[in-house]
Amino acid sequence: MKAVRRFTVHARVPDELTGLTELATNLRWTWHPPTRDLFASMDDALFRRVRDPLRMLTQLPPSRLDALANDAAFLARTRAASEELRRYLTEPRWFQRRVEAAGDGERFPRAVAYFSLEFGVHEALPNYSGGLGVLAGDHLKAASDLGVPMIGVGPLYRAGYFRQSLSLDGWQVEHYPVIEPSGLPLELVTEPSGEPAHVRVAMPGGRELVAQIWKAQVGRIPLLLLDTDVDGNDDDLRTVTDRLYGGDDDHRIRQEILAGIGGMRAVRRYCELTGHPQPEVFHTNEGHAGFLGLERVREVLDAGELTFDEALSAVRAGTVFTTHTPVPAGLDRFRADLVRHYFGDGRLLPGVDVGRVLALGAEADPTRFNVAHMGLRLAQRANGVSALHGRVSRRMFSSLWPGFDTEEVPISSVTNGVHGPTWVAREMSALLGGSDEEWGHDGDGSGIDPTVTDEQLWALRRELRGNLVEEVRRRAREAWLQRGASALELGWTDRIFDPDVLTVGFARRVPTYKRLTLMLRDPDRLRALLLDDERPIQIVVAGKSHPADEGGKALIQQIVKFVDDPAVRERMVFLPDYGMSMARYLYRGCDVWLNNPTRPLEACGTSGMKAALNGCLNLSIRDGWWDEYYDGSNGWAIPTADGVTDPLLRDDLEAAALYDLLGQQVAPLFYDRDDHGVPRGWVSMIWHTLRTLGPRVQASRMVREYVESYYGPAATTVAEAVADDYAGARSLAAYRARLDACWPLLRVVSTELTVDGSDTPVVGTPARITARVDLADLTESDVEVQAVLGRVGDTDDLADVVTVPLSPCGRGEFAGTLRLPFAGSLGYTVRVLPRHRLLATPAELGKVVLA
């Protein structure tokens, strides 16, 4: 028999233990060891099995809860934990101190709304698929630790992302376990009447999509999750939040409309109900929730007599857009007629013309709507997620800023970080002398206890490797049982892996560009490395392929077929169902973290950061974060076959380089032991990694950068834009209208460069540049005139440019002085750019006139 409906019965917690409920439902326990210790003391075996305090409370026998309610020592520990949580939730932290120390003209937002289609906080809340969601979860945790006033918002998926198993022939099989929200660390947001708070989003055909709002508490940060499986929705609308990244374009655009437009409405209602400050800055983590900007335009239009362009100016000022995609094929794009279907009748966003919506997402193909283009046009500040990805993004989106050099495209970068307290082994934190919350939180690695010896560090690394070996054996046995093997034939799984063998980890999503099977390019060489008599290696591989990606599934099958070979299966495994719980063992127990994407297709890639915090050394293609953080002593860089256009040849060359590094550098260093059995050279690299990478890869560093360079400036700009009945926004919109009318008529009439003192100038000689500009109906204060000087070659293209602003010295006359910066053949030009106090950069509007 099957149940017709699911429901959850909550545990009866004695009044004396009510503090446990708050401790269990605030997800700070996921990165706070003392709170986990408290719950483990109730029933250690049960806690190790469920890894979720809330589930644990439902499974403990009432008699055990009653006994704990009469245990004075346990009650004292519970009170102390509750008081410590309240202190954490209320005390001033870094953000509050930063606001207090702000200088003149500095402003920081009362609140930031952070939108993402997935959030990976912990496996107890399975609402993520991979790196994007885990990054979002780490962003919220770091914001909480720093005291940044933030609200997270996204959908709640009833099936989350799929669970993965393998068929007998090694093919990925997906399972979608149904999640009952009332059994998760969530609470419904309710109206004063006690009824669930709902948001409503108009759908075509006169229908309405209704979503209820669940709240997860991530330390100090409320995370709002929208759920459409509610009574009153038609069957097809109930399933809008059924699965993460599932369904066709119609299903996907509904999810993104809900995440953006519904998410905005959820944030507004939550703040009204709770008194939480309304956000001033809105951060879109990828373009999936980009429609939130359109909802904010609608809000502004409803609030006063503004035009669309005036409202757009106000909205852009407070919006930050982060792109994670390094290739155009990875961008979300919908058919323009599908967008027209949802927005065309005016019910979804009253007062917002569908033509303006389509224009925001316009691209070269007029039949397509580009969500990333919309995100960039709705945000005044945009960034990639590593320095290299910033460069890739500027090149990829350069068509939106014609006339500008690629490096001037206004997309900067904030390199992703990871939340140290979540990912660092507790034993590592204890050894290094850091706090429970984050070693290296504020400093440069100098906080590491200087008395820790090489022997102690190496002993801990062996202990963590041993924990991983035990987990590999357990999971490998379970995987074979799921594939149909008999327990009687699995005795060999007790012998796989060795706690004293060099252990390499490779675990991530399985799109083609990550090259899961690069290690298989020469199976004989790989086999020789695995089975080397003196310096063997062992490799643990894990990862999920998107359910619709047949190519990715085929790559997994290739790996599985290789590791099924009895000759190598004790030295290499593929572990199915990669997720956060498995990842912690891998990051902590591996000696080497392998990453070999096709450069530059890895936007950032944070798994190697988590491994590095645990003393694991990276062996990676110089892509994403490793391109800027590799220093020659914190791991190894796999050489790239730049310039080779044949992808198969490129793979062969880079795989050969990988084998060479493993066999000739990595393994020899690992096995080079002194009389005490310690590999001094290897341990030296670990120390260097911990001291230099430790502070740089923290999510706290990342969030600080967002606060200082994005949230703060956005709050300053949006305050000026909306003050005095949107006077700033009206001014900027009027300026843009004048600019649009005059810009085609504006031209540089003449320029001249004169060098003082000599007919043969040398480096450092002052040079004066003058220009006469026909401003049409603009004024000198409306524009910025610049001289651009640099080296020139045969094509007259400028390189190594130096830009100098020219000052007005009469109607249409501009002049400036610079010292000649280089020897050799130089050239210069003059250009005119827009200038307005509410523009973040002169390139923002994509307008430039060249001499």
Side-chain angles (χ1 to χ4, degrees):
M1 292 182 290
K2 292 186 177 181
V4 297
R5 189 107 180 138
R6 291 170 176 261
F7 61 96
T8 298
V9 177
H10 293 279
R12 180 192 62 80
V13 179
D15 291 343
E16 296 84 352
L17 300 177
T18 51
L20 291 176
T21 303
E22 181 184 13
L23 291 166
T25 53
N26 190 312
L27 288 164
R28 190 210 182 198
W29 66 260
T30 65
W31 72 93
H32 190 243
T35 304
R36 295 200 300 273
D37 288 346
L38 177 68
F39 284 100
S41 71
M42 300 168 72
D43 187 327
D44 186 65
L46 177 61
F47 186 73
R48 288 177 181 274
R49 188 171 74 251
V50 301
R51 305 297 297 176
D52 178 353
L54 197 62
R55 282 183 60 202
M56 183 175 175
L57 289 177
T58 67
Q59 295 185 26
L60 274 173
S63 58
R64 176 59 177 157
L65 291 172
D66 289 337
L68 290 167
N70 290 290
D71 183 333
F74 183 80
L75 292 176
R77 288 182 65 195
T78 302
R79 284 193 297 272
S82 296
E83 290 168 4
E84 198 281 331
L85 176 61
R86 281 191 285 274
R87 176 196 61 75
Y88 171 85
L89 297 177
T90 56
E91 70 178 1
R93 299 183 77 83
W94 172 84
F95 181 84
Q96 286 71 36
R97 294 191 293 272
R98 180 66 184 86
V99 170
E100 206 170 287
D104 292 342
E106 277 192 312
R107 192 178 185 281
F108 294 95
R110 291 190 303 270
V112 177
Y114 182 88
F115 288 70
S116 182
L117 212 59
E118 52 175 302
F119 286 91
V121 179
H122 188 267
E123 57 267 27
L125 184 59
N127 211 54
Y128 65 98
S129 74
L132 181 74
V134 174
L135 169 77
D138 281 6
H139 196 111
L140 297 191
K141 294 173 188 176
S144 175
D145 289 342
L146 294 170
V148 180
M150 184 172 285
I151 302 174
V153 60
L156 175 68
Y157 304 99
R158 284 302 179 111
Y161 204 52
F162 68 89
R163 302 293 302 272
Q164 178 197 48
S165 61
L166 299 174
S167 67
L168 190 58
D169 65 353
W171 193 254
Q172 173 178 292
V173 178
E174 299 96 25
H175 312 273
Y176 289 90
V178 177
I179 295 168
E180 176 53 53
S182 60
L184 298 176
L186 300 169
E187 63 174 302
L188 268 177
V189 176
T190 58
E191 298 288 346
S193 65
E195 293 296 312
H198 287 156
V199 295
R200 301 175 185 276
V201 178
M203 290 282 110
R207 298 196 300 164
E208 195 171 52
L209 174 63
V210 180
Q212 58 189 0
I213 310 166
W214 296 90
K215 186 193 75 166
Q217 193 66 38
V218 185
R220 299 165 71 116
I221 311 299
L223 169 58
L224 308 180
L225 299 171
L226 304 182
D227 171 21
T228 62
D229 187 14
V230 297
D231 293 338
N233 278 335
D234 294 340
D235 289 345
D236 64 318
L237 297 182
R238 290 186 80 130
T239 60
V240 166
T241 55
D242 58 350
R243 295 180 182 180
L244 177 58
Y245 303 135
D248 56 14
D249 278 358
D250 199 59
H251 186 266
R252 184 62 176 267
I253 198 172
R254 289 179 179 181
Q255 283 191 341
E256 297 194 6
I257 287 170
L258 176 70
I261 298 173
M264 267 305 309
R265 295 174 185 176
V267 168
R268 295 301 191 206
R269 188 60 185 144
Y270 173 79
C271 292
E272 291 166 358
L273 290 168
T274 63
H276 190 290
Q278 290 283 356
E280 298 169 280
V281 173
F282 301 81
H283 187 171
T284 308
N285 188 38
E286 239 333 321
H288 309 129
F291 290 120
L292 74 92
L294 295 173
E295 168 65 6
R296 291 177 57 222
V297 168
R298 182 202 63 78
E299 290 180 336
V300 176
L301 292 175
D302 281 355
E305 296 183 359
L306 274 71
T307 66
F308 182 92
D309 289 321
E310 291 168 341
L312 182 61
S313 294
V315 166
R316 292 186 74 255
T319 306
V320 176
F321 173 67
T322 297
T323 175
H324 295 259
T325 308
V327 290
L331 300 175
D332 266 5
R333 298 164 72 236
F334 295 112
R335 300 188 321 275
D337 63 332
L338 185 64
V339 176
R340 191 175 288 107
H341 173 67
Y342 280 92
F343 289 85
D345 65 3
R347 293 177 57 250
L348 181 56
L349 293 173
V352 178
D353 181 72
V354 68
R356 299 305 300 263
V357 174
L358 291 168
L360 288 168
E363 60 163 60
D365 182 350
T367 69
R368 308 297 291 181
F369 180 90
N370 191 309
V371 174
H373 285 193
M374 175 182 67
L376 290 166
R377 290 179 174 125
L378 282 170
Q380 191 171 46
R381 291 166 177 83
N383 67 283
V385 291
S386 68
L388 177 59
H389 181 238
R391 296 196 295 272
V392 169
S393 297
R394 288 189 285 275
R395 185 167 61 248
M396 186 166 70
F397 294 112
S398 60
S399 64
L400 299 182
W401 288 272
F404 289 91
D405 290 344
T406 299
E407 284 308 302
E408 296 181 301
V409 169
I411 300 174
S412 52
S413 63
V414 176
T415 301
N416 285 342
V418 299
H419 186 244
T422 293
W423 300 108
V424 176
R426 186 173 183 178
E427 300 89 339
M428 182 66 72
S429 292
L431 179 68
L432 297 178
S435 69
D436 283 330
E437 291 197 353
E438 189 170 322
W439 67 267
H441 186 288
D442 291 305
D444 56 3
S446 59
I448 294 175
D449 184 350
T451 66
V452 179
T453 65
D454 288 357
E455 285 80 2
Q456 289 174 299
L457 180 60
W458 182 243
L460 175 57
R461 290 296 311 147
R462 187 185 185 282
E463 177 187 341
L464 296 175
R465 192 184 314 114
N467 294 342
L468 172 61
V469 168
E470 291 182 13
E471 186 71 1
V472 165
R473 291 171 177 173
R474 184 185 71 80
R475 286 179 178 267
R477 179 180 177 85
E478 286 185 358
W480 274 102
L481 291 172
Q482 287 181 333
R483 293 174 71 183
S486 165
L488 296 176
E489 57 183 317
L490 294 179
W492 61 272
T493 59
D494 295 333
R495 301 188 301 273
I496 63 176
F497 278 44
D498 184 324
D500 292 310
V501 166
L502 171 63
T503 304
V504 178
F506 183 103
R508 51 192 37 87
R509 288 185 305 112
V510 190
T512 306
Y513 79 87
K514 290 183 183 284
R515 298 194 295 186
L516 171 72
T517 56
L518 186 71
M519 64 184 79
L520 299 184
R521 294 299 294 181
D522 188 335
D524 291 335
R525 285 197 70 179
L526 176 60
R527 201 174 285 112
L529 289 168
L530 294 170
L531 303 177
D532 188 281
D533 290 333
E534 296 182 359
R535 297 191 292 253
I537 67 172
Q538 55 197 15
I539 304 177
V540 54
V541 183
K544 293 179 178 179
S545 175
H546 188 283
D549 183 0
E550 297 298 307
K553 293 180 186 179
L555 296 179
I556 291 174
Q557 188 179 46
Q558 290 177 42
I559 286 283
V560 173
K561 286 185 176 180
F562 180 83
V563 303
D564 280 355
D565 181 353
V568 300
R569 67 187 182 187
E570 293 184 21
R571 282 284 181 262
M572 185 169 171
V573 296
F574 179 88
L575 300 182
D577 207 27
Y578 178 52
M580 293 178 76
S581 59
M582 182 196 299
R584 281 189 285 272
Y585 282 97
L586 297 176
Y587 300 145
R588 296 167 182 176
C590 286
D591 300 293
V592 173
W593 197 256
L594 175 61
N595 189 28
N596 46 232
T598 302
R599 189 178 192 270
L601 302 184
E602 182 84 273
C604 182
T606 55
S607 60
M609 294 178 170
K610 299 160 191 165
L613 286 174
N614 287 283
C616 178
L617 303 179
N618 277 268
L619 171 60
S620 177
I621 294 286
R622 289 194 64 165
D623 201 3
W625 74 279
W626 191 237
D627 183 67
E628 64 192 280
Y629 286 180
Y630 170 68
D631 67 7
S633 299
N634 54 8
W636 296 267
I638 303 169
T640 53
D642 295 332
V644 175
T645 56
D646 181 344
L648 296 180
L649 176 58
R650 177 174 181 160
D651 285 356
D652 285 339
L653 293 172
E654 294 181 4
L658 169 61
Y659 299 137
D660 288 343
L661 280 170
L662 282 170
Q664 298 173 21
Q665 294 188 38
V666 179
L669 188 66
F670 180 85
Y671 287 106
D672 181 16
R673 311 293 170 87
D674 66 6
D675 293 341
H676 300 282
V678 177
R680 299 291 174 179
W682 188 275
V683 172
S684 175
M685 289 184 72
I686 294 177
W687 281 124
H688 179 72
T689 294
L690 293 173
R691 291 188 174 109
T692 60
L693 282 183
R696 299 178 73 190
V697 301
Q698 299 277 4
S700 56
R701 183 271 310 154
M702 172 188 72
V703 173
R704 283 191 184 97
E705 284 190 37
Y706 276 116
V707 170
E708 298 280 7
S709 301
Y710 295 81
Y711 301 161
T716 301
T717 306
V718 78
E720 187 173 354
V722 304
D724 300 324
D725 191 27
Y726 293 91
R730 295 177 194 270
S731 167
L732 181 56
Y735 171 74
R736 294 185 67 171
R738 285 194 297 116
L739 213 62
D740 290 340
C742 297
W743 205 254
L745 305 175
L746 191 149
R747 63 193 182 95
V748 179
V749 177
S750 62
T751 73
E752 184 177 0
L753 182 146
T754 57
V755 179
D756 295 341
S758 174
D759 293 333
T760 55
V762 296
V763 173
T765 300
R768 180 173 175 80
I769 299 176
T770 59
R772 190 158 60 87
V773 180
D774 183 349
L775 294 172
D777 287 333
L778 297 176
T779 68
E780 285 80 1
S781 63
D782 288 329
V783 297
E784 181 172 325
V785 179
Q786 298 175 341
V788 184
L789 182 144
R791 304 181 193 272
V792 291
D794 295 339
T795 63
D796 288 334
D797 290 325
L798 294 173
D800 300 327
V801 300
V802 175
T803 301
V804 178
L806 304 183
S807 303
C809 52
R811 174 61 184 170
E813 303 288 337
F814 297 83
T817 301
L818 79 162
R819 294 186 179 274
L820 298 177
F822 313 115
S825 183
L826 304 186
Y828 83 98
T829 188
V830 170
R831 66 181 182 179
V832 185
L833 301 168
R835 182 169 66 183
H836 190 280
R837 69 184 188 282
L838 293 183
L839 293 179
T841 73
E844 182 178 322
L845 302 182
K847 293 182 181 295
V848 60
V849 171
L850 296 169

